[in-house]
């Protein structure tokens, strides 16, 4: 087997609720291989989003370690982590978080512009990504002019702009009807297979989870399944 792309080792997360400590994550271990698609399911309030934020270095664990390509992420500075998130990770959330004052094309270009690329360098890859999610005819439209499904497909294209190795998705179809949600997921799966992109997706949708390589369950702070 190839070396893991990403590892979470003994992740704990504790919050202070008044004078009482609440342990949300209790020694989470997870190994993700290149190109693998893993779903994480669990009841509302089970800590799925907290776990995904920690895996994406958007929140700190109380203890435990994260490794990306065998490199320990806790040793990185905040600036290095920001660069890591921009270039190695893609994020899709339940809400698209697109910038309303920009067009679909400009939103997709944004990660490349943040990374220091010129608009000219970013434009063609962004157009190609919009075509890949079947939105090449909508690239100059503002966010408010797009349907919910189109907004989420634009967010998917933006997440892929820097050609990340790992995509983290938090209920990416949760706000969509079944038809739009299936289209977003099918495009996500097709593109990830073509690019050998690893995916960790939090979802309540068992039908979608069953299409992933692995389905894990977070319950009572523990992650169970084939870890």
């Amino acid at each position: 087997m190839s070396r893991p792309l990403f590892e979470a080792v003994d992740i704990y997360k504790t919050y202070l609720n008044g004078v009482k400590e609440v342990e949300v994550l209790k020694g989470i271990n997870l190994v993700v291989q290149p190109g693998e698609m893993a779903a994480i399911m669990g009841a509302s309030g089970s800590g799925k989003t907290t776990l995904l934020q920690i895996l994406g270095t958007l929140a700190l664990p109380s203890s435990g370690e994260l490794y990306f390509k065998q490199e320990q992420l806790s040793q990185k500075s905040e600036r290095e982590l920001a660069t890591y998130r921009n270039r190695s990770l893609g994020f899709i959330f339940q809400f698209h978080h697109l910038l309303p004052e920009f067009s679909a094309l400009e939103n997709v270009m944004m990660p490349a512009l943040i990374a220091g690329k010129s608009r000219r360098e970013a434009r063609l890859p962004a157009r190609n990504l919009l075509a890949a999610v079947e939105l090449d005819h909508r690239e100059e439209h503002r966010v408010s002019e797009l349907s919910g499904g189109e907004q989420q497909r634009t967010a998917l294209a933006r997440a892929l702009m820097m050609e990340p190795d790992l995509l983290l998705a938090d209920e990416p179809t949760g706000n969509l009807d079944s038809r739009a949600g299936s289209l977003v997921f099918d495009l996500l799966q097709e593109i990830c297979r073509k690019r050998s992109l690893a995916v960790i997706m939090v979802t309540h949708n068992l039908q979608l989870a069953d299409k992933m390589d692995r389905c894990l369950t977070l319950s009572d702070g523990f992650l169970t399944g084939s870890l």
Side-chain angles (χ1 to χ4, degrees):
M1 183 177 287
S2 61
R3 289 186 175 184
L5 173 70
F6 183 86
E7 293 179 85
V9 180
D10 214 22
I11 299 295
Y12 285 82
K13 183 64 176 180
T14 301
Y15 291 103
L16 191 61
N17 184 10
V19 295
K20 182 181 178 181
E21 288 190 345
V22 178
E23 200 170 39
V24 178
L25 303 176
K26 304 173 182 177
I28 300 294
N29 291 285
L30 178 64
V31 177
V32 179
Q33 301 295 335
E36 182 179 22
M37 301 183 73
I40 298 176
M41 300 194 72
S44 296
S46 61
K48 301 185 304 298
T49 294
T50 297
L51 175 59
L52 206 67
Q53 289 174 341
I54 289 173
L55 298 182
T57 69
L58 297 173
L60 291 173
S62 299
S63 63
E65 292 292 348
L66 301 174
Y67 297 88
F68 182 78
K69 295 182 177 179
Q70 289 75 58
E71 189 174 2
Q72 189 173 343
L73 296 181
S74 64
Q75 300 301 310
K76 291 182 177 291
S77 66
E78 281 300 318
R79 181 184 292 272
E80 289 171 332
L81 285 175
T83 300
Y84 159 72
R85 286 190 293 268
N86 177 257
R87 300 184 180 180
S88 299
L89 300 183
F91 293 91
I92 310 177
F93 303 97
Q94 185 170 352
F95 183 72
H96 55 75
H97 293 294
L98 298 172
L99 300 174
E101 64 269 31
F102 295 104
S103 68
L105 180 61
E106 290 169 327
N107 269 281
V108 176
M109 291 167 58
M110 199 61 65
L113 300 179
I114 291 172
K117 293 188 177 183
S118 67
R119 292 181 65 89
R120 184 172 181 176
E121 289 176 298
R123 187 175 180 83
L124 181 58
R127 294 190 69 185
N128 289 339
L129 282 167
L130 281 173
V133 297
E134 302 178 3
L135 285 176
D136 46 320
H137 63 298
R138 303 286 270 166
E139 60 183 37
E140 297 302 333
H141 288 71
R142 296 290 179 95
V143 174
S144 61
E145 299 172 315
L146 303 175
S147 70
E150 288 172 337
Q151 291 169 345
Q152 201 65 324
R153 281 147 60 194
T154 302
L156 170 58
R158 179 186 58 187
L160 299 173
M161 183 63 193
M162 296 301 291
E163 300 184 352
D165 296 294
L166 175 61
L167 184 67
L168 301 176
D170 189 0
E171 295 281 3
T173 64
N175 284 337
L176 306 178
D177 62 41
S178 58
R179 182 180 176 278
S182 293
L183 177 58
V184 168
F185 179 81
D186 290 346
L187 287 168
L188 166 64
Q189 190 172 47
E190 178 184 355
I191 291 169
C192 290
R193 295 297 188 205
K194 286 180 178 177
R195 295 174 174 235
S196 295
L197 174 65
V199 180
I200 302 173
M201 183 177 76
V202 163
T203 182
H204 281 104
N205 191 320
L206 182 58
Q207 186 178 11
L208 297 186
D210 282 342
K211 296 180 181 180
M212 307 283 276
D213 298 320
R214 281 190 294 159
C215 183
L216 311 171
T217 300
L218 184 61
S219 179
D220 296 325
F222 298 100
L223 194 63
T224 58
S226 179
L227 304 178

